């Protein structure tokens, strides 16, 4: 039996407004330039799809699959690339698209590796900045919402691979101690 419930945190409409606002800023900041969007799989796949369709600049899209949590809800602290980007980024403006930044370990680790490939610039767009458990400082250039706590699912985010397909974002509320 499922030992948790899902409490609504962000509706589909609220997410649309957040993504609209982020895309507006990105379109203004990169005016006259082209951009490579790098989505961090799996969590960012829906956010990137919505963001990319609101960007009016010339964009290319690629994905990297990073994992440190596996099926656990606690980071292992060890980040692995299980699928790398496939396009060269040297001399290009890169925008990393991430669904959620929690400890910061995943993003900090990847930023270092990406910068070593010689892009013209690298910025980060994160839908959710969950800052209370931050262990590594990472620069977040574009943030949808900042939030303290809660295990969030939906709109690409999972709990043991489930709930990524929900249109809104929900908080997992456990019904008994785990
Ligand atoms: C999630 C999320 C981020 C990372 C953030 O990915 O998509 O990439 O955790 O956590 P951190 O700031 O504590 O490092 P996860 O490893 O769960 O894989 P997923 O995207 O496939 O769900």
């Amino acid at each position: 039996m499922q030992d948790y419930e899902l409490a609504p945190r962000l509706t589909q409409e609220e997410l649309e407004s957040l993504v609209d606002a982020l895309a507006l800023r990105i379109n203004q900041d990169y005016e006259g330039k082209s951009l490579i969007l790098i989505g961090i799989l799996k969590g960012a796949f829906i956010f990137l799809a919505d963001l990319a369709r609101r960007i009016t600049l010339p964009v290319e899209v690629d994905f990297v699959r990073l994992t440190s949590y596996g099926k656990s809800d606690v980071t292992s602290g060890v980040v692995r690339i299980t699928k790398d980007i496939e396009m060269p980024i040297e001399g290009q403006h890169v925008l990393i698209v991430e669904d959620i930044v929690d400890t910061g370990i995943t993003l900090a680790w990847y930023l270092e590796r990406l910068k070593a490939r010689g892009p013209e610039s690298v910025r980060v767009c994160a839908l959710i900045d969950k800052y209370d458990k931050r262990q590594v400082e990472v620069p977040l250039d574009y943030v949808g919402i900042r939030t303290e706590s809660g295990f969030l699912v939906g709109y690409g985010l999972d709990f043991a691979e489930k709930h990524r397909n929900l249109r809104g974002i929900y908080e997992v509320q456990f019904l008994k101690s785990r």
Side-chain angles (χ1 to χ4, degrees), residues 142-159:
Y142 305 95
V143 171
I145 59 156
R146 299 186 76 235
T147 183
E148 277 189 37
S149 58
F151 195 106
L152 303 177
V153 297
Y155 199 68
L157 287 82
D158 74 308
F159 175 38

Side-chain angles (χ1 to χ4, degrees), residues 37-40 44 47-48 51 95-99 123-126:
L37 302 179
I38 297 181
I40 301 187
F47 176 42
L48 184 141
L51 185 70
L95 183 63
I96 297 176
V97 181
E98 178 63 291
D99 53 320
R123 287 185 183 167
V124 177
C125 178

Side-chain angles (χ1 to χ4, degrees), residues 29-45:
D29 290 355
Y30 288 92
E31 192 180 352
K33 297 172 181 157
S34 58
L35 197 53
I36 296 181
L37 302 179
I38 297 181
I40 301 187
L41 295 173
K42 298 178 191 174
F45 78 109

Side-chain angles (χ1 to χ4, degrees), residues 40-44 65-70 72 75 79 98-107 133-134 156-158 161 164:
I40 301 187
L41 295 173
K42 298 178 191 174
R65 167 91 171 107
L66 301 178
T67 183
S68 68
Y69 283 81
S72 168
T75 179
V79 185
E98 178 63 291
D99 53 320
I100 186 166
V101 180
D102 193 343
T103 65
I105 289 172
T106 302
L107 198 53
K133 294 205 188 110
R134 190 67 33 85
L157 287 82
D158 74 308
E161 293 299 330
R164 292 192 198 271

Side-chain angles (χ1 to χ4, degrees), residues 119-138:
E120 174 71 23
S121 70
V122 181
R123 287 185 183 167
V124 177
C125 178
L127 179 65
I128 303 166
D129 175 10
K130 192 173 149 187
Y131 56 84
D132 63 326
K133 294 205 188 110
R134 190 67 33 85
Q135 292 180 28
V136 187
E137 277 313 308
V138 277

